[in-house]
């Protein structure tokens, strides 16, 4: 038991350490960082953009089946960062909740209610000994009928919040600093600028020049409120625009 101050307290998820920490929940956050992916979400004036890296771990895999972008409802999409299997499980639960809401109330669930519901479920996982927290983080992007473009993030601890821009994953601290600097003066971000800001942020913090096949980009705009992912040709056009501007 000579393992420093956390000795024994990381055995169970329901036990606080003397410093008031839940180590298993902290390890869940670490699992997200260890996944090696970084995801960015940016909310513009008329759109929301989510960008993540696309890594195909095996040359024999069909790359079109590898994705971290998911539709939850036609108008709500998300990007999952962390453990793939946990991410798919949370996406399935989100779709079930959205379907039940539509069946009960007769209209589509809003992004903030869906995010709150998922956060409530994640929070229960931190207080029941027979469950473990999910090692994944969800960024939701949607076009709300009342509020316009919205961006939410839900984490394994059950905390959720709306954001102007956010990052999650391996380089989230650097990415958040980059976004804070860029959005300090509250610029008017239209669709193309929002996409290019998100790509530039990812490119800058990872010190990589991306190819179109190495990125996944999901968008919702006021003109096209349904969540969709950009094609490789559209991503290439944005990469060329960034290169020309620099």
């Amino acid at each position: 038991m000579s393992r420093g101050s956390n000795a024994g307290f990381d055995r169970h998820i329901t036990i606080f350490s003397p410093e008031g920490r839940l180590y298993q929940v902290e390890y869940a956050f670490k699992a997200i960082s260890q996944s090696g992916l970084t995801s960015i979400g940016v909310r513009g004036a008329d759109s929301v953009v989510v960008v993540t890296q696309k890594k195909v771990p095996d040359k024999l895999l069909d790359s079109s089946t590898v994705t971290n972008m998911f539709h939850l409802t036609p108008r709500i999409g998300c990007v999952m960062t962390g453990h793939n299997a946990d991410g798919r499980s949370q996406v399935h639960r989100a779709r079930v909740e959205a379907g039940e809401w539509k069946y009960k109330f007769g209209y589509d669930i809003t992004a903030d209610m869906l995010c709150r519901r998922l956060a409530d479920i994640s929070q229960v996982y931190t207080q029941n000994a027979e469950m473990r927290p999910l090692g994944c983080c969800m960024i939701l992007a949607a076009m709300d009928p009342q509020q316009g473009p919205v961006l939410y993030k839900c984490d394994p601890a059950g905390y959720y919040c709306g954001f102007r821009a956010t990052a999650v994953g391996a380089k989230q601290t650097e990415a958040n600093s980059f976004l804070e600097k860029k959005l300090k003066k509250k610029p008017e971000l239209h669709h193309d600028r929002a996409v290019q800001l998100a790509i530039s942020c990812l490119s800058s913090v990872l010190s990589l020049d991306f190819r179109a096949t190495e990125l996944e980009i999901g968008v919702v705009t006021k003109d096209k409120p349904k969540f969709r992912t950009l094609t490789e040709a559209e991503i290439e056009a944005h990469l060329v625009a960034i290169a020309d501007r620099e």
Side-chain angles (χ1 to χ4, degrees), residues 145-167:
Q146 270 87 40
Q147 296 171 298
V150 290
L151 180 72
Y152 287 95
K153 184 168 82 173
C154 171
D155 65 29
Y159 179 76
Y160 84 103
C161 215
F163 289 87
R164 282 167 54 216
T166 186

Side-chain angles (χ1 to χ4, degrees), residues 58-130:
D58 190 335
K59 285 193 170 72
L60 296 174
L61 282 175
D62 176 1
S63 62
S64 65
T65 63
V66 178
T67 182
N68 287 309
M69 297 272 173
F70 300 94
H71 283 83
L72 302 180
T73 71
R75 286 169 177 252
I76 303 174
C78 72
V79 58
M80 302 302 300
T81 314
H83 280 205
N84 269 340
D86 286 5
R88 283 175 190 273
S89 167
Q90 191 167 30
V91 165
H92 175 70
R93 185 61 192 263
R95 287 171 177 164
V96 169
E97 294 294 334
E100 282 181 3
W101 178 283
K102 177 98 189 229
Y103 180 72
K104 249 190 224 172
F105 302 112
Y107 66 96
D108 285 332
I109 192 168
T110 56
D112 63 323
M113 283 309 300
L114 183 57
C115 199
R116 179 190 295 184
R117 179 74 187 121
L118 290 172
D120 289 347
I121 293 164
S122 295
Q123 202 279 327
V124 169
Y125 288 178
T126 68
Q127 47 183 327
N128 277 16
E130 75 272 11

Side-chain angles (χ1 to χ4, degrees), residues 125-143:
Y125 288 178
T126 68
Q127 47 183 327
N128 277 16
E130 75 272 11
M131 305 180 195
R132 67 165 176 84
L134 296 171
C136 61
C137 188
M138 178 186 272
I139 300 177
L140 285 112
M143 191 57 67

Side-chain angles (χ1 to χ4, degrees), residues 43-48 143 149 189-192 220-223:
R43 189 183 78 196
D46 58 354
S47 63
V48 187
M143 191 57 67
L189 287 176
H190 293 293
H191 173 57
D192 286 349
V220 281
T221 61
K222 274 193 176 152
D223 305 333

Side-chain angles (χ1 to χ4, degrees), residues 210-213 217 231-242:
F210 287 109
R211 293 201 298 270
T213 52
I217 303 177
T231 62
E232 283 185 16
E234 288 173 302
I235 296 172
E236 188 60 50
H238 285 298
L239 291 171
V240 169
I242 293 167

Side-chain angles (χ1 to χ4, degrees), residues 12-31:
H12 299 281
I13 192 162
T14 52
I15 297 174
F16 282 102
S17 76
E19 295 91 43
R21 292 162 69 178
L22 285 170
Y23 284 104
Q24 287 291 328
V25 178
E26 289 181 25
Y27 297 159
F29 281 97
K30 205 165 272 184

